Amino acid sequence: SKAAQKNYKDITVHIKVDTGMGRMGFINDPVDNICEIAELKGLKISGVMSHFSDSDSTDQSFAKLQIERFNLLRKQLVERGIKVKIFHMANSAAIVSLPESHFDAVRPGLILYGVSPFDNQSSAMSNILLTPAMSVKTRLVSIRKVPSGTPISYGRTFVTKRESLIGVISIGYADGFFRAFSNNAEVLIRGKRLPVIGRVCMDLTMIDLTDIKDGVEESDEVIIMGRQGTEFISASELAYRANTIPYEILTSLGRMAQKIYKE
């Protein structure tokens, strides 16, 4: 309000209420707080919002309780004469599975990437087709031929059991390729899945190229996440290997890399 008056213009705001997330938003007396804000000069309340804590759960009873609380809030604001244009709280999972949560607007997040907010066992996505919109690529920067018994990377957690062709790719945990992928992930080169070997380093990761039959060259494209030929590595697969959620994979891998947007 002070900023609006100082700049001689109205500021449009959305107000957040906490219906069960326990993170941000008014918890105590939200209606009174919103009514008080509505009296401030220079402010126009165009939206009231909340946030689900577990709309992707198989048990959606708590999510439905949050919707009830939000509906009650809206009713009370109307009774107090507060006119708000937009009420919104539905995230990706709620957009798909809780139509009663759509209100006046929705806030898709994960599904904009073409990734399901539910696990593979959920039936919520049975009638919805998503196309993954993000891929992550890097390059081979070195190819090394080593004898059997050669330790690879920090801690010698991988030792070759045969004469091997080792590839070094330019991605590491500083780029969002987690250390949890050490000896625990695959990449795609020339349409073939190849294992990550040894510990993931800050800027580099090693892979085993030995089983590629048609030859491989430095500067070959490496798919960390995405499609190459008939093979596909998804954000969900990487999340499963790292014991996390797809959203952390998408935001971590997208943090440092050069981004190319396509229509």
Side-chain angles (χ1 to χ4, degrees):
S1 175
K2 290 178 181 178
Q5 294 176 76
K6 182 179 179 180
N7 289 279
Y8 304 101
K9 63 189 298 184
D10 288 341
I11 295 176
T12 299
V13 298
H14 287 231
I15 299 175
K16 192 165 194 175
V17 295
D18 189 342
T19 57
M21 177 66 176
R23 184 179 65 182
M24 297 279 287
F26 288 118
I27 298 176
N28 301 315
D29 304 317
V31 175
D32 289 341
N33 278 296
I34 293 172
C35 289
E36 186 176 342
I37 291 171
E39 296 296 320
L40 295 175
K41 294 180 180 179
L43 294 188
K44 293 175 64 177
I45 302 174
S46 70
V48 174
M49 61 188 290
S50 191
H51 196 80
F52 284 108
S53 66
D54 64 347
S55 57
D56 58 346
S57 172
T58 52
D59 178 3
Q60 293 189 316
S61 56
F62 189 74
K64 291 180 179 180
L65 175 60
Q66 286 188 261
I67 294 171
E68 289 177 16
R69 291 171 175 171
F70 200 55
N71 268 318
L72 177 60
L73 173 81
R74 182 167 65 166
K75 180 175 178 290
Q76 291 171 333
L77 288 174
V78 171
E79 291 171 350
R80 297 279 289 270
I82 303 297
K83 296 180 179 179
V84 178
K85 185 177 181 181
I86 300 174
F87 285 81
H88 56 103
M89 72 183 296
N91 58 1
S92 291
I95 289 170
V96 172
S97 63
L98 292 166
E100 64 269 38
S101 73
H102 292 181
F103 295 102
D104 305 302
V106 297
R107 305 195 304 267
L110 192 60
I111 56 175
L112 291 178
Y113 289 91
V115 177
S116 170
F118 298 95
D119 62 32
N120 294 332
Q121 281 69 48
S122 174
S123 61
M125 302 296 294
S126 58
N127 295 319
I128 296 176
L129 176 65
L130 294 176
T131 301
M134 176 179 167
S135 58
V136 178
K137 306 175 182 182
T138 187
R139 295 282 180 184
L140 266 172
V141 296
S142 179
I143 299 173
R144 307 162 59 80
K145 192 172 185 179
V146 301
S148 176
T150 300
I152 304 296
S153 196
Y154 292 114
R156 295 179 288 126
T157 60
F158 182 91
V159 178
T160 60
K161 296 180 180 179
R162 56 181 176 172
E163 183 178 81
S164 300
L165 204 61
I166 306 302
V168 183
I169 60 176
S170 58
I171 193 171
Y173 56 77
D175 307 299
F177 192 66
F178 301 148
R179 205 163 178 264
F181 294 135
S182 302
N183 300 300
N184 184 35
E186 294 177 322
V187 301
L188 301 179
I189 298 181
R190 299 198 174 191
K192 185 176 179 63
R193 282 180 173 260
L194 297 168
V196 170
I197 57 173
R199 285 186 180 157
V200 173
C201 306
M202 183 184 294
D203 305 297
L204 300 168
T205 298
M206 275 62 77
I207 57 175
D208 191 345
L209 302 171
T210 312
D211 291 331
I212 287 191
K213 304 301 182 185
D214 58 349
V216 64
E217 299 176 355
E218 290 182 1
S219 81
D220 271 4
E221 183 179 76
V222 181
I223 301 297
I224 303 298
M225 183 180 74
R227 186 175 301 281
Q228 193 179 63
T230 59
E231 290 286 354
F232 177 67
I233 295 176
S234 67
S236 297
E237 175 185 334
L238 293 174
Y240 176 79
R241 290 179 181 273
N243 192 30
T244 185
I245 58 174
Y247 228 146
E248 186 175 11
I249 298 296
L250 295 166
T251 54
S252 297
L253 285 172
R255 187 174 65 244
M256 297 289 289
Q258 176 191 7
K259 299 172 182 66
I260 301 172
Y261 298 94
K262 296 183 178 181
E263 290 294 335

